[in-house]
Structure formats: structure tokens, C-alpha cells
Amino acid sequence: MLAVTSAFTSGAALVAPTAHASRASVQMGIIDGVKNLLGKKQDFLEAEPYWDQSTIPVNTYKNKAPFTGKIVSTKRIVGPEATGETCDIVIGHEGKMPYWEGQSYGVIPPGTNPKNGKPNSVRLYSIASSRYGDDMTGTTTTLCVRRATYWCPELKADDPAKKGVCSNYLCDSKPGDDVKLTGPSGKVMLIPEKDPNVDLIMVATGTGIAPYRSFIRRLFVEKTPFGEAYTKGTGQAWLFLGVANSDALLYDDEWQEVLKKYPDNFRLDYALSREQKNKDGGKMYIQDKVAEYSDEIFSKMDNGAHMYFCGLKGMMPGITEMLEGVCKDKGLVWEDKLSEWKKAGQWHVEVY
């Protein structure tokens, strides 16, 4: 019912049920209202001009005074053969906790830390929806959360005493549950929206996909000012995602839709470690897939592209070694080149 309720508040014309209205006419009214909402331009949460980052919200809610949101939905989004469970979790914030693409929310799980008896500490999660939320009302946010478990070789089973406190809390949450939120935080992963022709190279492992989903929805799914400018320009958003197998792919149906509609502006490469081989015959990890395009990526970066990394920090050494090799072949010093990219704000890293 959230989208329907939000449609009322957004001014969409819905048919209110009356004593004489048939169920069919009410349903048609609801459908028409939602269509009106989805067809509207998404511009009510934009800066002026839209690329101005000076008004970005930061730390609206802090650890000592968090915001209490409500779980709207929790759903598993990986197949049966995936390694582990990943959930898409939508949280309602009533429009009181606005954020921008590339930012994170903090979540404070209930209970206390058994090690010190103090309340559980905040955990950060990259936001996986645009600032408008998946229902495009500006009142929800989406998190992409992998359930953290620990396999005990002695028990030959998951050890519940060592499971991730916050990830399990979120993956077990039900619609209507309260959730304490802090933030939004972070400016490292923002999109440089002033240039509608900028190339964006997005590298992710697993749930590191979250910020890029927020980017891609803003660029290609919703009718935003930047999206309209970008799809008319020459910029290319290039997504690399590394997971174990096809069942572990995240939001693949969304990427395929964008590929169909915007083949010139969007590009997609997967690294499936248990299904693909790298050039040496070993497992295909994200750094191996990125390495296949090393010269092209280097060229794009030298032409002003922005490169983003989100996910496991283990991917970084392989990627930097690869780019270092390209530098060497070109007679350049890698440290100098990296420093140049960082100084220009082209290098964005948020790994854990």
C-alpha cells in the first residue's frame, strides 16, 4: 500500500472509494494514479542547479539521536545456488532523512554487545536507491544486505554465536518493524554531475553494487535532470560486478533493461569466479575482468573518467597492480599517475 498512499501525497489523481464505487473502478483509479506518479518528472529533490553539491545532506541524524524508520519490505534477491543470502530491504523515512546517490545510512541494531555490555554500535550500509527511493516518492531508501554467517568446521554448521549482528537483524526484519538510522554520510562516492559527458567506471564485488544501483537508477531509470542530460551526451557508465556464480548476480534484470534501452550509454561486465576462467585458466575474479580492458580503462581515466570501487578491499591490490603494469608499458610512474587522478577527484574508493 505504500506506493498508493504516497501517490495521494504526491498529488496523483486516485479515485477514492465510495459506497457506490465498484471494486473494479477503485482498482482502475489506483492503477491510473500510480501511472501518473511514475510518469512524473523526478525533480522535486534536486539542488539548484542540480549538480551543485553544496547542499548535500550530511549527518542529519547522529548515533545519540537516531531516526526511527520503518521496514517496508524485505526480500531475498539471489537464487538457490548463490553463496549466502542477500536481501533487498526497503525502509520508510517519511521524507525526513533525504540523501544523495553514493551516500550511506547507518543502522543501529537492537540489543547489547556481549563483549562490553554496551548498546550495539552503528553499521554503515551504502544506499542502493536513488534519492527518490524505489517508489519514487522521496520517502524510502533501499539497502542491499548480505547475511553474514560463520561456518564452524567443528560443528559442520553455521555458528549462531558468530553471525553478523546487524546483517541478520536486517535480513530477518518484517514490514512494520522499527529500525534506528543515522546519517546520511559520505561524499566519496558522489557522481560529478556537472559534466553530462563524463565516463563512470564502477567496480563492485557483491553488495558493493549498492551505490551503483543508485547511480544507474538516477541516470537511466528515472526522469531526473541529470539522467536526461546524460542520455543525450557521450558519457558511458560501465559496470563491473564480481560474484561467485549466476545465482549470486544482483539486480541483473534491471541492468538488462538498461542495456536494451541505452546500449551506447551503459556497459556491463560480470566476473563469475565459480563459472568463468581468467586468461591464465584460474578463477575469474573482478580484478581479472577489469584487467581485460586495462588499456581502454587507462585511456578513459586519462580523458577525465571517474573510477569507483565498492565492496571487498581484497580486489584493490590486483587492480592497482594491473594499472601499474599499464603505466610501466607506457613509460609512466604509477604513483604519479594515481596521485594525478586523486588530485582531480577521479578516484573513488569505499571498500571494507
Side-chain angles (χ1 to χ4, degrees):
M1 284 301 291
L2 179 73
V4 174
T5 308
S6 302
F8 274 111
T9 59
S10 299
L14 302 189
V15 176
T18 67
H20 304 291
S22 69
R23 180 178 294 179
S25 69
V26 171
Q27 286 176 338
M28 284 307 297
I30 289 171
I31 290 166
D32 288 343
V34 172
K35 280 182 180 174
N36 286 343
L37 179 66
L38 296 178
K40 286 172 70 176
K41 277 194 175 185
Q42 299 301 301
D43 58 9
F44 59 90
L45 293 176
E46 300 298 323
E48 185 57 52
Y50 69 82
W51 61 77
D52 181 9
Q53 297 181 353
S54 62
T55 59
I56 183 171
V58 178
N59 296 326
T60 311
Y61 292 91
K62 298 180 173 62
N63 295 9
K64 289 184 179 176
F67 177 80
T68 302
K70 284 206 181 294
I71 299 291
V72 175
S73 65
T74 303
K75 65 178 179 182
R76 178 187 168 102
I77 55 169
V78 291
E81 300 302 316
T83 49
E85 181 179 23
T86 301
C87 293
D88 174 280
I89 298 159
V90 179
I91 303 171
H93 61 74
E94 302 171 22
K96 295 175 181 174
M97 204 171 168
Y99 56 87
W100 282 23
E101 298 75 16
Q103 289 194 293
S104 300
Y105 266 6
V107 177
I108 303 175
T112 55
N113 183 337
K115 291 178 182 174
N116 57 23
K118 294 180 180 178
N120 280 318
S121 56
V122 67
R123 270 74 160 182
L124 286 179
Y125 291 92
S126 295
I127 294 169
S129 51
S130 82
R131 67 190 70 181
Y132 296 100
D134 288 356
D135 62 355
M136 296 187 280
T137 62
T139 63
T140 66
T141 189
T142 301
L143 303 182
C144 179
V145 180
R146 177 175 168 139
R147 187 188 293 274
T149 57
Y150 173 77
W151 178 264
C152 176
E154 291 176 13
L155 294 173
K156 290 190 169 51
D158 285 336
D159 183 346
K162 294 182 180 177
K163 68 182 182 180
V165 172
C166 198
S167 66
N168 282 270
Y169 157 65
L170 287 171
C171 290
D172 289 336
S173 64
K174 302 285 188 294
D177 287 356
D178 286 345
V179 55
K180 289 182 178 176
L181 303 170
T182 67
S185 63
K187 292 186 178 181
V188 172
M189 301 290 282
L190 298 179
I191 314 173
E193 298 194 359
K194 196 166 186 178
D195 178 9
N197 299 308
V198 68
D199 284 336
L200 306 172
I201 303 164
M202 305 167 284
V203 184
T205 56
T207 56
I209 195 71
Y212 310 137
R213 182 173 183 263
S214 76
F215 291 5
I216 292 164
R217 288 187 68 82
R218 179 163 177 79
L219 284 164
F220 304 117
V221 179
E222 301 165 7
K223 295 182 179 179
T224 63
F226 182 51
E228 287 193 8
Y230 198 79
T231 51
K232 289 173 186 168
T234 58
Q236 184 184 71
W238 189 356
L239 175 63
F240 290 89
L241 172 61
V243 291
N245 57 28
S246 302
D247 265 18
L249 286 172
L250 301 170
Y251 305 109
D252 177 63
D253 54 337
E254 297 184 18
W255 314 145
Q256 299 305 328
E257 277 297 307
V258 174
L259 266 179
K260 261 190 260 177
K261 285 180 76 173
Y262 301 100
D264 296 331
N265 293 108
F266 182 58
R267 192 166 167 184
L268 176 65
D269 276 281
Y270 287 146
L272 308 176
S273 61
R274 298 194 181 180
E275 294 178 8
Q276 299 171 328
K277 300 289 184 192
N278 63 23
K279 63 180 175 58
D280 299 320
K283 290 183 176 182
M284 175 71 81
Y285 291 111
I286 190 73
Q287 56 268 34
D288 302 314
K289 180 54 71 174
V290 174
E292 290 181 7
Y293 304 96
S294 54
D295 285 327
E296 188 178 356
I297 287 169
F298 196 94
S299 175
K300 281 179 176 287
M301 290 296 290
D302 257 4
N303 286 316
H306 282 241
M307 196 165 187
Y308 297 81
F309 303 92
C310 190
L312 298 172
K313 63 184 175 186
M315 68 173 158
M316 293 307 296
I319 286 168
T320 52
E321 281 168 26
M322 173 267 292
L323 290 169
E324 189 174 354
V326 178
C327 265
K328 197 173 179 184
D329 292 343
K330 293 178 180 290
L332 301 168
V333 178
W334 163 241
E335 287 78 11
D336 294 345
K337 181 54 68 176
L338 180 60
S339 175
E340 179 188 313
W341 291 344
K342 284 181 176 178
K343 197 173 179 182
Q346 294 171 251
W347 190 260
H348 309 258
V349 181
E350 196 165 81
V351 293
Y352 40 84

